[in-house]
């Protein structure tokens, strides 16, 4: 019961800390307007999220924690916001933090074992027994490979999406230019011209048609 209570207290403190930081991010987002400032804010916020994920993983069982997928979510978000550079940065930070957690489990950082290391910090992991060294190493390798694979794949997909959006925008601008050119040419011809759609609604009424009929185009467009 005491172990569970200490874990719950640690999780509550962690969640409260992230809520306070989130409020600070909201305030900063309203204050920062420059592109460079927004980029720095994004790096800062995502770095904080990675540290939060590392703390959560540390509390809930180390490299075998079910919450290691939080690192992957942050890497995907980094790819969306900061593209390949940001995704690789977060993948590297996640890998290093997970390696540190693994070294705590293995006792490389001076702690006799992972459980004792957490108890020194006043926290007991939810998982009862620390995994073996082979399992720890395997967990680290699998996750690190996944982090970088997600970073490269996510950034590639985002870059492809950006190119598609740019092409659509260029096509839209070209189409609008053609429409303007067509409208100017047709409006300037010395003959009355009226166009209609399939429902017989008036879609175009040039200046000469206005002069001949005495009606204004704005009152007739869309009419039968």
């Amino acid at each position: 019961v005491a172990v569970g209570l200490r874990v719950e207290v640690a999780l509550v403190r962690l969640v409260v800390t992230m809520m306070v930081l989130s409020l600070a991010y909201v305030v900063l987002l309203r204050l920062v307007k420059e592109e460079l400032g927004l980029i720095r804010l994004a790096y800062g916020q995502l770095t904080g999220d990675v540290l939060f994920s590392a703390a959560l993983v540390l509390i809930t069982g180390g490299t075998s924690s079910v919450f290691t997928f939080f690192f992957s979510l942050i890497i995907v978000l980094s790819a969306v916001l900061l593209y390949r550079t940001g995704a690789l940065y977060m993948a590297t930070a996640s890998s290093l933090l997970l390696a540190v957690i693994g070294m705590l489990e293995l006792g490389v950082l001076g702690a006799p074992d992972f459980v004792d290391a957490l108890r020194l910090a006043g926290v007991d992991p939810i998982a009862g027994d620390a995994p073996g060294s082979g399992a720890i190493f395997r967990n680290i390798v699998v996750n690190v490979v996944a982090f970088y694979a997600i970073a490269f794949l996510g950034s590639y997909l985002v870059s492809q999406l950006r190119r598609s959006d740019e092409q659509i925008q260029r096509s839209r601008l070209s189409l609008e230019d053609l429409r303007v050119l067509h409208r100017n040419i047709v409006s300037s011809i010395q003959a009355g011209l009226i166009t209609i759609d399939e429902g017989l609604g008036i879609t175009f009424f040039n200046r000469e048609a206005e002069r001949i009929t005495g009606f204004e185009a704005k009152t007739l467009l869309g009419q039968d």
Side-chain angles (χ1 to χ4, degrees):
V1 175
V3 171
L5 181 60
R6 293 166 71 182
V7 171
E8 290 179 3
V9 170
L11 289 174
V12 169
R13 289 175 178 174
L14 188 60
V15 171
V16 170
T17 300
M18 286 305 300
M19 291 176 64
V20 172
L21 288 176
S22 297
L23 291 174
Y25 295 147
V26 171
V27 174
L28 290 174
L29 188 60
R30 296 178 66 88
L31 295 176
V32 178
K33 302 299 181 182
E34 300 81 6
E35 182 178 355
L36 181 59
L38 291 172
I39 292 175
R40 290 175 178 173
L41 180 59
Y43 271 106
Q45 182 173 351
L46 291 170
T47 301
D49 291 343
V50 168
L51 293 174
F52 167 80
S53 300
L56 184 61
V57 167
L58 185 66
I59 293 172
T60 57
T63 55
S64 59
S65 171
V66 296
F67 293 105
T68 53
F69 76 92
F70 274 25
F71 290 118
S72 300
L73 294 178
I74 296 169
I75 294 170
V76 171
L77 183 59
S78 302
V80 173
L81 295 177
L82 302 170
Y83 311 118
R84 177 163 296 180
T85 302
L88 292 177
Y89 171 79
M90 294 305 162
T92 302
S94 300
S95 300
L96 291 175
L97 288 171
L98 191 64
V100 169
I101 294 173
M103 286 188 287
L104 279 175
E105 292 183 84
L106 294 171
V108 175
L109 296 182
D113 57 41
F114 181 54
V115 176
D116 287 343
L118 291 180
R119 285 173 178 166
L120 288 174
V123 176
D124 284 305
I126 292 174
D129 298 324
S133 58
I136 294 171
F137 182 76
R138 183 173 60 254
N139 290 337
I140 293 174
V141 171
V142 169
N143 279 285
V144 169
V145 171
F147 293 161
Y148 281 100
I150 291 171
F152 280 107
L153 180 60
S155 58
Y156 172 77
L157 293 176
V158 170
S159 64
Q160 291 295 106
L161 183 60
R162 288 182 63 197
R163 291 194 187 97
S164 298
D165 289 340
E166 291 173 355
Q167 290 175 354
I168 292 173
Q169 185 63 24
R170 285 196 295 268
S171 299
R172 186 177 300 166
L173 292 175
S174 298
L175 179 60
E176 186 61 29
D177 290 340
L178 288 175
R179 285 176 177 172
V180 172
L181 178 61
H182 173 266
R183 188 179 302 114
N184 290 336
I185 292 175
V186 174
S187 297
S188 301
I189 63 176
Q190 299 300 313
L193 179 62
I194 303 172
T195 62
I196 59 175
D197 57 21
E198 294 179 354
L200 302 182
I202 297 175
T203 58
F204 183 78
F205 204 85
N206 74 344
R207 296 191 187 95
E208 190 64 16
E210 289 181 323
R211 188 189 66 78
I212 294 173
T213 63
F215 294 103
E216 293 184 358
K218 62 182 180 181
T219 63
L220 296 178
L221 293 178
Q223 299 297 319
D224 193 329

